[in-house]
Amino acid sequence: MLTLTFFTSNHTKLAHARYLAEGEPIEINGFRQRTYHAGYEEPRLHSREDLLRASYQSAIEQGRKARILSPRHLFILEDTSVRIDALSTENTEVPGLDVKYWMREATFASLDNSIRSAGGNRRAVVRSDVLLHIPPGYKKLWGMDQDYIVFPGEQSGTIVEHESAFETNVMYPWLDNRTFNKWFRPDGASGPLGQLSISEANRYDFRRKSFEQLFAFLRKHKLLSEPVLQRQLPLQDHVNYIICGYTCAGKTTASQHLARFFDYLHVEASDFMYLAYYMRHDVHDHISIGDFAEQALREKPEIAAEGIAKYLQAEMETPCVISGFRSIREIEWLVEILGQLGKRFRIVFVKASQEARFARMADRNRTGDVSDIARFRTRDEQQRRMGLGVIAQAARTVAWENESELKDYLTVVNEDVGRSPLRVPDLFESLSAVASRRRLKLEDAILVALLTRWSDDERRPYFTTSEIAKIINELMPENSQKHKDNVSRYFNQNFYAYYEIEIGPSKGTRKYRLSNTGYGKALRILSLLGDGTEGRQ
């Protein structure tokens, strides 16, 4: 798969590019994913050619500083511009390339007055220019002299007559109510671009037009290879589980029991839903993850399942338990995809009364939990709309009762597995094996370090990157020193399903702790280290 670095400081633009690349054998990484210290500067110039050239030189300079450039390292950057005919001249576009800054001051009333005063022409064009760096290795191979090539895409339309009130699309945040998209109606569209459904917006997406040219260019030069289907593996002897249920039914309890006592790899679907959310919105709190998940499961039900399938393809021989799916469609998608590779699943719905589940929520006292039964019922209703009711009634779903004592519930789980539980591994014994390793991978070291701070109490603490580095070095003092800058770089370069994130109330510092998926992965690392099969660089 081809990897492209996208030099942009705009998280929404990066999310848009990744969406446009779906279905292509391309992985688009933001430049912050390649380096922590580089600081890409976007110059403010009014000439398109000068701006693209200056942006390119800035990207080259930062790429060299970060030492990420190579004879075949491709990167892209993109600039968006707007021309409002009534306010522009033959030689000057308004607002032109300065549209991002212009929007900070503009109001619809002022724009409407300016257009009317200039004669009333409401025509406008939005343009996207995607620049592709041609590295020396490809310049020679393709017989090209230029350092870069630009792919332009345009969409014509009009400024709306009246401003509409609508919310930014939580699933596709580039369809928003903050940029020029809220006032621009593409020719033939039913409304302003930011208000359109994704299916209609795709037809008028100016950025899509430039990216499609980019993909065609890469395909022409044989850099995009069609994915090769993996051969079907024999069906596994073990049973893999998909465990569903309403909040506090006991999904995680059963999954962690399977991970601890039966060596299952636990994967939590909501961790991958959060990952999809972060990839689109970064870490914000003004958009509800519940609202995002509900819309995502309507429009792209496999959104979390895609990440899980990719994750599990590296663990095809390992029994796995997936908890937290809320739509039958995402289950069916995953069962079909991994079924082709030999994995089969038992779908379980954990049954527990609303009263029993609410009592468990009050007892665990997790941040974000509701404190009254009315809001708890509202949450249940949202989860029912997402599809839990359909899963519970599906013909192939089996039920586990979890209404009384924990030991009774775990007995049900043990009986379903059909074999005796393993001895619970001694954490400190396993960690002594970790400490004897000469060089543990950074990610493995982080996961294992946070495992030493794990507790089943939902109020377990979060840690800064400096604190995580300190835990690592205390755990492995002689042979696995991890500088805090390396740990910080790891977390700043990407989002992972392994961690839950907390934002400090004052300075906005991010803190981390293991998610349920991270806990399952950490247990797996310890198991493999005990076998001597993983963990070395």
Side-chain angles (χ1 to χ4, degrees):
M1 177 176 287
L2 179 68
T3 299
L4 287 178
T5 299
F6 190 0
F7 276 79
T8 179
S9 58
N10 187 319
H11 191 86
T12 300
K13 188 184 289 189
L14 176 60
H16 193 179
R18 285 170 169 157
Y19 170 77
L20 295 174
E22 288 182 0
E24 300 283 356
I26 300 176
E27 181 177 358
I28 297 182
N29 290 332
F31 79 103
R32 294 281 290 190
Q33 290 179 260
R34 298 297 307 274
T35 174
Y36 178 49
H37 294 293
Y40 171 57
E41 298 292 336
E42 297 184 64
R44 293 184 65 179
L45 298 171
H46 297 292
S47 163
R48 179 172 290 108
E49 292 75 16
D50 290 346
L51 175 64
L52 290 171
R53 189 179 303 110
S55 297
Y56 174 74
Q57 291 301 326
S58 175
I60 287 289
E61 180 181 350
Q62 297 305 326
R64 285 172 178 162
K65 285 181 181 179
R67 299 180 181 179
I68 63 173
L69 299 183
S70 69
R72 294 206 173 186
H73 175 250
L74 296 163
F75 71 75
I76 60 174
L77 54 87
E78 191 269 356
D79 280 300
T80 301
S81 61
V82 173
R83 175 188 173 89
I84 301 172
D85 283 0
L87 310 181
S88 302
T89 66
E90 184 177 348
N91 299 317
T92 304
E93 293 183 348
V94 176
L97 298 161
D98 222 26
V99 60
K100 177 173 65 175
Y101 304 98
W102 178 82
M103 284 297 299
R104 295 176 184 175
E105 303 293 333
T107 65
F108 181 76
S110 64
L111 173 60
D112 187 58
N113 288 335
S114 297
I115 291 174
R116 293 180 187 277
S117 298
N121 182 357
R122 307 188 79 84
R123 298 293 299 167
V125 175
V126 182
R127 172 171 172 150
S128 168
D129 287 281
V130 173
L131 181 152
L132 172 68
H133 164 62
I134 310 297
Y138 288 124
K139 286 175 67 174
K140 182 177 180 180
L141 180 65
W142 299 336
M144 299 175 66
D145 294 327
Q146 63 264 47
D147 293 327
Y148 58 83
I149 184 169
V150 179
F151 305 97
E154 289 188 351
Q155 177 61 51
S156 60
T158 57
I159 307 298
V160 296
E161 295 279 354
H162 304 284
E163 187 174 29
S164 299
F166 59 90
E167 296 296 323
T168 293
N169 192 312
V170 298
M171 181 70 176
Y172 309 105
W174 52 92
L175 301 179
D176 66 356
N177 60 4
R178 299 184 302 275
T179 65
F180 193 71
N181 291 340
K182 66 180 177 178
W183 298 333
F184 177 69
R185 179 173 181 166
D187 289 337
S190 62
L193 182 58
Q195 197 175 12
L196 301 180
S197 67
I198 188 62
S199 58
E200 185 177 7
N202 284 340
R203 299 201 297 270
Y204 306 108
D205 189 338
F206 54 91
R207 204 167 279 143
R208 174 179 288 273
K209 295 178 180 181
S210 53
F211 270 87
E212 285 181 344
Q213 292 178 56
L214 166 67
F215 299 152
F217 176 87
L218 296 173
R219 196 174 292 108
K220 174 184 176 182
H221 289 84
K222 304 186 185 306
L223 291 182
L224 301 187
S225 57
E226 295 298 325
V228 179
L229 293 177
Q230 299 185 38
R231 66 183 180 88
Q232 185 171 3
L233 301 175
L235 289 174
Q236 305 299 302
D237 292 333
H238 56 258
V239 174
N240 303 284
Y241 287 96
I242 295 175
I243 302 179
C244 306
Y246 288 95
T247 299
C248 291
K251 306 180 296 295
T252 301
T253 298
S255 300
Q256 291 184 350
H257 180 74
L258 289 168
R260 292 166 178 164
F261 290 91
F262 294 94
D263 207 21
Y264 272 71
L265 176 65
H266 178 203
V267 179
E268 170 58 48
S270 64
D271 295 333
F272 286 86
M273 184 64 77
Y274 266 101
L275 183 61
Y277 172 90
Y278 291 149
M279 296 293 278
R280 287 162 173 79
H281 296 285
D282 206 335
V283 183
H284 296 302
D285 60 4
H286 64 275
I287 295 176
S288 162
I289 181 63
D291 292 343
F292 173 82
E294 185 171 9
Q295 182 171 337
L297 292 177
R298 282 199 308 268
E299 299 192 21
K300 187 179 173 61
E302 70 278 12
I303 185 170
E306 283 181 341
I308 293 172
K310 183 177 180 180
Y311 176 54
L312 289 179
Q313 283 182 24
E315 300 278 359
M316 291 305 297
E317 300 296 325
T318 305
C320 69
V321 51
I322 304 169
S323 60
F325 276 143
R326 293 173 178 172
S327 164
I328 193 67
R329 294 167 66 192
E330 57 184 340
I331 291 175
E332 291 172 345
W333 187 94
L334 186 80
V335 167
E336 178 180 355
I337 294 299
L338 293 185
Q340 297 172 9
L341 302 177
K343 271 198 176 293
R344 55 186 178 182
F345 289 89
R346 185 191 301 277
I347 302 170
V348 176
F349 192 88
V350 183
K351 298 176 66 176
S353 67
Q354 196 170 74
E355 292 74 16
R357 292 186 293 105
F358 182 67
R360 291 170 192 158
M361 173 174 280
D363 183 61
R364 77 181 185 180
N365 193 26
R366 177 196 291 177
T367 301
D369 280 347
V370 298
S371 57
D372 62 83
I373 190 67
R375 294 174 63 193
F376 188 76
R377 288 173 180 143
T378 299
R379 177 180 286 191
D380 273 8
E381 176 58 25
Q382 184 178 53
Q383 293 177 2
R384 186 199 63 77
R385 291 196 307 267
M386 291 181 188
L388 277 183
V390 176
I391 296 172
Q393 299 300 321
R396 64 176 296 181
T397 300
V398 299
W400 288 350
E401 296 283 347
N402 183 21
E403 193 67 34
S404 57
E405 297 293 328
L406 176 61
K407 62 181 180 59
D408 297 330
Y409 176 49
L410 295 183
T411 297
V412 171
V413 177
N414 293 344
E415 290 175 349
D416 198 284
V417 176
R419 55 185 170 89
S420 299
L422 303 171
R423 180 181 69 88
V424 180
D426 184 280
L427 179 61
F428 293 100
E429 180 182 316
S430 301
L431 291 176
S432 66
V434 172
S436 68
R437 297 288 175 178
R438 291 194 56 80
R439 286 184 62 81
L440 205 62
K441 296 176 183 177
L442 176 60
E443 182 171 80
D444 290 355
I446 292 170
L447 288 165
V448 171
L450 289 177
L451 180 63
T452 67
R453 301 302 191 267
W454 174 272
S455 73
D456 291 339
D457 186 345
E458 290 293 341
R459 289 161 286 188
R460 64 186 182 275
Y462 291 81
F463 300 91
T464 66
T465 54
S466 295
E467 291 169 338
I468 294 171
K470 183 179 179 181
I471 297 169
I472 294 172
N473 292 320
E474 288 175 350
L475 179 65
M476 295 163 275
E478 295 182 1
N479 48 32
S480 189
Q481 291 288 323
K482 301 296 181 184
H483 194 276
K484 65 179 181 64
D485 284 354
N486 294 331
V487 177
S488 296
R489 183 180 299 112
Y490 168 83
F491 282 105
N492 277 282
Q493 287 175 349
N494 212 344
F495 293 108
Y496 310 90
Y498 297 139
Y499 314 101
E500 296 175 359
I501 305 173
E502 178 184 71
I503 304 297
S506 56
K507 296 182 179 180
T509 303
R510 295 183 184 182
K511 292 185 174 185
Y512 305 88
R513 69 180 187 184
L514 287 185
S515 66
N516 288 318
T517 298
Y519 177 71
K521 179 64 174 179
L523 289 180
R524 182 68 182 154
I525 290 169
L526 284 186
S527 175
L528 292 173
L529 285 173
D531 295 337
T533 56
E534 191 166 298
R536 296 181 186 273
Q537 291 194 55

